[in-house]
Amino acid sequence: MIKFDGVGKVYPNGLRALDDISLEIDHGEFVAVIGLSGAGKSTMIRAINRMHEISEGTLTVNGIDVSTLKGRELRRFRRGIGMIFQSFNLVTRTTVLKNVLSAKVPDLSLWRVLLGAFPRKDHIAALEALDKVGILEKAYVRADQLSGGQQQRVALARTLAQDPRIILADEPVASLDPVTARQVMDDFRRINRELGITVIINIHHVELALQYADRVIGIREGRIIFDGRSDRVNGDVLENIYGRDTEEAL
């Protein structure tokens, strides 16, 4: 379980990105976080794996106070949380398979890392991850020869190769066309349902959030405006979250 208890985040320039956030996310949920740009969506999900430090309150994951983790403990903790970015973050001049295998680097000895000598079991796990997102046939293709949607699927496969309990996705479909965006969202939903992995997505497209997520959290100016089932999101809720920009969000 992920638990925010009175969490606040103030940046050095004085900007308050999160303001008294309190909520719980259970194992296996599919949650979409929506709101205007700058509302605090990215800050909230990046606090979960401590990419962003919180300033106030307590954030626990499976009973572990995230702020107390240091060094090896923090690295081990992060291994259980996959992170997907809008920009894919692939090494484009190497193959798809090698990109997925990079998820295994923290588990290898130095000589294996230097020689790129991944054990057979890691190769099998990487190929299985590619199969789960439907691009196994691209394993030996260079990443820069793939479409944007395919590259995002490689990023998702790389995350699956970590064997995560939680996947955080920060605007994963923002740079994709509508058809491809839905295909990638299909992958997230299937992974959530078939593997039971908790998925938390910061997403700009409200329509996709409502279609794919079971739960929606709406944030405005660092505060939670709505937290509930996606089928309970209506025009009034969206107006509270987006104000005059409601039509643009849709």
Side-chain angles (χ1 to χ4, degrees), residues 73-207:
E73 287 184 340
L74 179 58
R75 290 192 294 272
R76 186 182 303 117
F77 167 77
R78 284 174 170 163
R79 293 285 294 144
I81 301 179
M83 187 79 197
I84 306 288
F85 300 92
Q86 177 182 343
S87 57
F88 319 137
N89 284 11
L90 302 180
V91 180
T92 56
R93 294 186 179 182
T94 193
T95 66
V96 164
L97 180 60
K98 287 183 179 178
N99 271 280
V100 178
L101 282 168
S102 68
K104 298 294 187 179
V105 166
D107 301 326
L108 297 182
S109 60
L110 179 60
W111 75 267
R112 282 190 176 275
V113 173
L114 294 176
L115 296 176
F118 292 89
R120 184 171 181 271
K121 64 180 179 62
D122 288 349
H123 278 270
I124 292 172
L127 292 171
E128 287 176 344
L130 287 169
D131 191 36
K132 286 173 184 174
V133 297
I135 53 170
L136 178 58
E137 74 280 2
K138 303 292 185 181
Y140 299 99
V141 174
R142 271 182 38 152
D144 58 5
Q145 296 177 17
L146 303 183
S147 67
Q150 289 171 331
Q151 289 191 47
Q152 192 59 289
R153 283 175 161 174
V154 175
L156 184 52
R158 179 181 58 196
T159 294
L160 289 177
Q162 293 179 217
D163 193 23
R165 298 181 301 276
I166 300 166
I167 291 178
L168 309 175
D170 194 0
E171 293 285 6
V173 298
S175 61
L176 305 180
D177 64 81
V179 173
T180 306
R182 289 183 183 279
Q183 292 171 344
V184 172
M185 291 297 290
D186 284 339
D187 290 332
F188 278 112
R189 181 164 61 183
R190 186 176 64 257
I191 286 164
N192 167 253
R193 292 181 176 177
E194 294 181 2
L195 304 180
I197 297 173
T198 305
V199 176
I200 306 170
I201 292 184
N202 159 21
I203 187 167
H204 181 70
H205 303 283
V206 173
E207 182 182 354

Side-chain angles (χ1 to χ4, degrees), residues 24-87:
E24 296 180 4
I25 298 173
D26 290 329
H27 178 71
E29 285 197 83
F30 191 145
V31 181
V33 184
I34 64 173
L36 293 167
S37 296
K41 305 188 301 299
S42 291
T43 302
M44 190 184 108
I45 70 167
R46 292 182 183 216
I48 294 171
N49 64 353
R50 224 175 101 183
M51 287 184 70
H52 288 176
E53 301 277 357
I54 63 174
S55 307
E56 303 155 358
T58 306
L59 174 54
T60 58
V61 178
N62 296 326
I64 299 172
D65 185 340
V66 176
S67 64
T68 65
L69 298 174
K70 296 179 181 178
R72 184 177 298 176
E73 287 184 340
L74 179 58
R75 290 192 294 272
R76 186 182 303 117
F77 167 77
R78 284 174 170 163
R79 293 285 294 144
I81 301 179
M83 187 79 197
I84 306 288
F85 300 92
Q86 177 182 343
S87 57

